[in-house]
């Protein structure tokens, strides 16, 4: 008998969902070419940049981000937990997924009953990086499974491990013994997660963005072999492939490991067919809760797929509780980008690069998972205990961190230049390029606050890229979407800040500016974004990492000089060109804009502060006094132009050239950043407060009222939009703040795209600004509306860039919503 509580404590703030219950309403994708895997997503499992897998509220393993930057959403039903129970009333056995295969595979298996409105059969809970399954009203025993990944702040070792730990807790609440057997089955997947087209053709989708096909080697199993582990106090399975020598992408091992514990009988089957009806495994297990101890290590033949399974059988006396930990590890050490361009993953710094270390990784998890649990609790509990933060916010705050693992994340081995390795997260799975700088201005708050050394690694990569040049020419996709011929554009101009750090099919960190939707050399926010993020990282880490500041300073100088060339009239502020040339890349701005102009002025303030700090430390280059004099002149002239040219008496105009009266939600982003960094205000506080009031009323209150009043049963749609299976407006819900509408909440252009979307990350950033300026009630109203949409309507763990009042979304698994950590910083300075 153990001292374990009969039912493990699950934080009240965790997101929850009845097991297998169908979704009445959920968002669908706005553009048919964008990714839409449906709403059945759970928290990812696995470390940052190690590759991750996903297990849904239905109980199936259905998301496989194991090839760096690539996405596969598919259930392999042989990868499964199954529970057998014997009581005085007889036996019952269920594979613990409510979703049977639709193609006839494993038809001999019995699948766990899904929850209905009248009878929940359990719940799924998630508070990343932990999640839980609680099974109810089916088994006589009380069964809970906790899943965790070793992720907590300022952890640059365990957080990189390719491992998930499943802690099963079984309690007997009855007056009679209960015998249970937990079976863990796993298909051999070695060799599957590599692109069979390593240098695929790049094409443009209907929205003008570049894409390429990912064709993984699914089902290519020749030579796979499964082996039993029974040593060092553990038992388990090791799944290997036919490869030899140094591993290539896709080569490696999988391992399932559990302690060899007294009172737990272990049985196994090293080779069964996951593509058949499953009776070769199921029949024996369903009858007696044991496997046949089949020691068949024959390699898989041509056209054959194989799986292995291990069963853990034990008896609980009345009132007894037992915990069974199971570690699942994968050692897939190599990521290949373009053909021949490879990178080793960060965890190989600790376990080696041979690809033969899955057992060692799983063993480390079994030995340390309770320490990992406590590290996570120690991090999360002070936030969960805060009475001044609502539970929905605490839930979303942690769960939005999922993207740091699931966002196609790369984390390379350490070098002298990058002592914790290089790091990168995709903008999203539809826009498959890394660390889009305009997006991470918002999303970067998460790494900034929790893993600041990774934040600095990203910014050092941008600093290296700014002075480079890439003369390759390409077509700009935006023009195709408006029916115009595209000019050819240089990929990367010297001195320009790149938009991104490259894509998974080329050479991330080395070849930048992958996106070709717009000519990013013309963007007016990227240079400012870089300067602000460098100073933000410096300030947030004690303002004493002078080596980091000194390393980035030449790139700061280069990018400010490059951006200043767009100041055509010499008033101190670069003008927008009339093309979409900033983060709202479907939205034309002309002349000085409130958004880009404010970022520029804040960047000048940051550059002056950085230069002065380097001077104090006697690390400034010889021309620094001249540069600072120049920056002060630009700033003085810009401040004299910004407010008078853009202020209309209530808020800041979109720009000086379009005559637009739209209220832009993010018009004062530069001012927000200035206060975040302790820099002088760009405009006086009375104007900030007036503008924020105008934004809240127009973009949030009035926009949602207009959307609700215009909701119709036929769900009238915007130009080019699909229609969801519900309308948020018809449900009388506020969905968040639109990017830009007229003061009465109506659209300036009814066919507009970005203006009328609610961008989740921009909303969290706007809420952070509201909170920063003392408008806490308004901040939480905006954030609550967005969180409600994400976690009530099937967008959890795939948070999109944009949602609409029509029940559609765009660009899932997006980086920018990590800005919720910026809101946390404003609420809890």
């Amino acid at each position: 008998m153990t001292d374990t509580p009969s039912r493990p404590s699950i934080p009240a703030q965790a997101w929850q969902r009845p097991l297998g219950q169908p979704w009445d309403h959920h968002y669908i994708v706005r553009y048919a070419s964008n990714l839409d895997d449906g709403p059945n997503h759970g928290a990812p499992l696995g470390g940052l940049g190690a590759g991750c897998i996903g297990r849904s509220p239905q109980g199936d393993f259905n998301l496989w981000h194991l090839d760096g930057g690539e996405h596969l959403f598919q259930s392999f039903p042989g990868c499964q937990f199954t529970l057998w129970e014997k009581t005085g009333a007889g036996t019952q056995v269920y594979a613990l997924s409510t979703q049977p295969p639709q193609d006839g595979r494993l038809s001999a298996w019995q699948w766990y009953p899904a929850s209905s409105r009248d009878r929940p059969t359990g719940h799924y809970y998630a508070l990343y990086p932990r999640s839980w399954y609680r099974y109810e009203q089916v088994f006589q025993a009380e069964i809970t499974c906790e899943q965790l990944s070793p992720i907590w702040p300022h952890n640059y070792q365990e957080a990189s491990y390719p491992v998930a730990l499943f802690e099963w807790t079984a309690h007997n609440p009855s007056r009679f013994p209960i015998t249970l057997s937990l079976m863990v089955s796993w298909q051999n997947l070695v060799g599957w997660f590599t692109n069979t087209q390593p240098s695929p053709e790049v094409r443009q989708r209907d929205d003008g963005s570049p894409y390429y096909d990912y064709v993984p080697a699914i089902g290519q199993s020749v030579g796979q072999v499964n082996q039993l582990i029974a040593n060092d106090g553990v038992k388990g399975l090791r799944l290997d492939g036919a490869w030899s020598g140094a591993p290539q992408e896709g080569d490696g091992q999988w391992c399932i490991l559990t302690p060899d514990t007294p009172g737990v009988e272990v049985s196994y089957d090293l080779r069964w067919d996951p593509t058949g009806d499953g009776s070769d495994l199921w029949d024996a297990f369903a009858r007696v809760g044991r496997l046949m101890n089949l020691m068949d290590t024959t390699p898989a033949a041509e056209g054959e797929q194989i799986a292995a399974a291990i069963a853990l059988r034990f008896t609980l006396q009345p009132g007894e509780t037992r915990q069974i930990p199971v570690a699942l590890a994968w050692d897939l050490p190599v990521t290949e980008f373009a053909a021949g361009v490879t990178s080793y993953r960060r965890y190989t710094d600790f376990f080696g690069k041979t690809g033969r270390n899955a057992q060692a990784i799983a063993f480390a998890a079994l030995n340390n998972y309770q320490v990992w649990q406590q590290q996570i609790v120690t991090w999360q509990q002070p936030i969960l205990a805060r009475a001044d933060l609502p539970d929905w916010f605490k839930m979303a705050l942690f769960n939005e961190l999922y993207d740091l693992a699931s966002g196609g994340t790369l984390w390379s081995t350490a070098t002298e230049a990058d002592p914790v390795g290089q790091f990168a997260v995709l903008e999203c799975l539809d826009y498959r390029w890394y660390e889009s700088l305009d997006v991470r201005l918002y999303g970067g708050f998460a790494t900034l606050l929790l893993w600041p050394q990774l934040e600095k690694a990203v910014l050092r990569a941008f600093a290296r890229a700014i002075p480079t040049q890439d003369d390759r020419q390409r077509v700009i996709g935006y023009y195709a979407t408006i029916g115009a011929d595209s000019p050819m554009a240089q990929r990367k101009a010297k001195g320009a800040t790149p938009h991104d750090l490259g894509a998974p099919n080329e050479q991330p960190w080395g070849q930048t500016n992958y996106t070709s939707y717009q000519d990013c050399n013309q963007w007016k926010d990227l240079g400012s974004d870089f300067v602000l993020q460098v100073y933000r990282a410096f300030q947030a880490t004690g303002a004493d990492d002078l080596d980091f500041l000194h390393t980035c300073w030449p790139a700061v100088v280069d990018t400010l000089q490059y951006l200043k060339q767009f100041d055509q009239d010499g008033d101190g502020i670069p003008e927008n060109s009339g093309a979409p040339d900033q983060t709202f890349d479907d939205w034309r701005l002309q002349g000085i804009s409130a958004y880009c102009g404010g970022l520029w002025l804040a960047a000048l303030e940051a550059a002056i502060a950085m230069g002065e700090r380097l001077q104090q430390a006697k690390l400034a280059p010889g021309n620094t006094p001249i540069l600072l004099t120049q920056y002060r002149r630009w700033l003085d002239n810009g401040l004299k132009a910004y407010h008078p040219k853009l202020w209309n008496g209530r808020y800041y105009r979109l720009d000086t050239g379009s005559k637009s009266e739209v209220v832009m939600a993010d018009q004062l982003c530069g001012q927000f950043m200035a206060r975040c960094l302790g820099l002088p205000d760009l405009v006086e506080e009375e104007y900030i407060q007036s503008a924020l009031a105008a934004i809240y009323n127009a973009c949030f209150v009035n926009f949602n009222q207009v959307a609700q009043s215009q909701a119709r049963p036929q769900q009238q749609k915007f130009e080019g939009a699909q229609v969801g299976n519900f309308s948020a407006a018809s449900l009388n819900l506020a969905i968040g703040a639109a990017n830009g509408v007229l003061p009465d909440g109506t659209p300036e252009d009814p066919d507009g795209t970005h203006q009328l979307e609610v961008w989740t990350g921009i909303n969290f950033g706007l809420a952070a600004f509201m909170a920063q300026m003392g408008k806490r009630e308004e901040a939480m109203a905006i954030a609550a509306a967005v969180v409600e949409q994400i976690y009530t309507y099937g967008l959890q763990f795939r948070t999109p860039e944009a949602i609409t009042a029509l029940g559609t979304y765009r660009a899932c698994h997006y980086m920018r919503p990590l800005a919720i950590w910026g809101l946390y910083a404003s609420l809890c300075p």
Side-chain angles (χ1 to χ4, degrees), residues 615-691:
Q615 283 184 321
Q616 293 168 7
K618 302 189 185 311
L619 292 172
N623 65 342
T624 303
I626 297 173
L627 290 171
L628 294 182
T629 298
Q630 186 179 63
Y631 297 162
R632 293 185 186 105
R633 184 175 69 252
W634 293 352
L635 177 62
D636 184 59
N637 290 340
L639 289 171
K640 290 176 180 176
Y642 185 78
H643 177 81
K645 290 187 176 182
L646 290 167
W647 181 249
N648 72 357
R650 290 183 54 211
Y651 56 91
Y652 288 89
R653 296 184 182 90
L654 182 70
D655 56 38
T656 58
S658 69
K659 297 186 168 66
S660 172
E661 294 301 318
V662 74
V663 182
M664 186 185 198
D666 214 20
Q667 60 187 261
L668 285 180
C669 182
Q671 168 59 41
F672 167 58
M673 290 295 166
R675 279 217 177 179
C676 283
L677 301 180
L679 297 168
D681 285 341
L682 306 181
V683 296
E684 295 181 21
E685 181 160 347
E686 65 178 288
Y687 304 119
I688 303 172
Q689 295 289 356
S690 177

Side-chain angles (χ1 to χ4, degrees), residues 390 392-393 696-697 699-701 704 733-738 758 760 763-764 766-768 770-771 775-789 823 827:
W392 60 261
F393 176 75
Y696 185 77
N697 289 327
C699 299
F700 183 65
V701 176
N704 284 288
L733 297 173
I735 66 169
V758 170
T760 54
N763 271 243
F764 290 145
L766 175 61
M770 293 273 185
K775 293 180 174 289
R776 185 186 179 101
E777 182 177 344
E778 293 89 337
M780 299 312 277
I782 291 170
V786 173
V787 169
E788 172 78 8
Q789 297 305 303
L823 175 54
L827 294 169

Side-chain angles (χ1 to χ4, degrees), residues 281-323:
L281 183 74
W282 187 265
D283 288 352
F285 182 74
R287 188 170 57 254
V288 295
R290 295 185 181 92
L291 297 173
M292 302 299 290
N293 291 343
L294 299 176
M295 186 74 77
D296 187 348
T297 58
T298 306
E302 184 71 38
E304 186 179 29
Q305 297 180 27
I306 62 172
I310 187 169
L312 314 172
R313 192 178 192 268
F314 54 94
T315 297
L316 295 176
Q317 298 303 319
E320 185 180 2
T321 299
R322 182 181 284 274
Q323 286 186 328

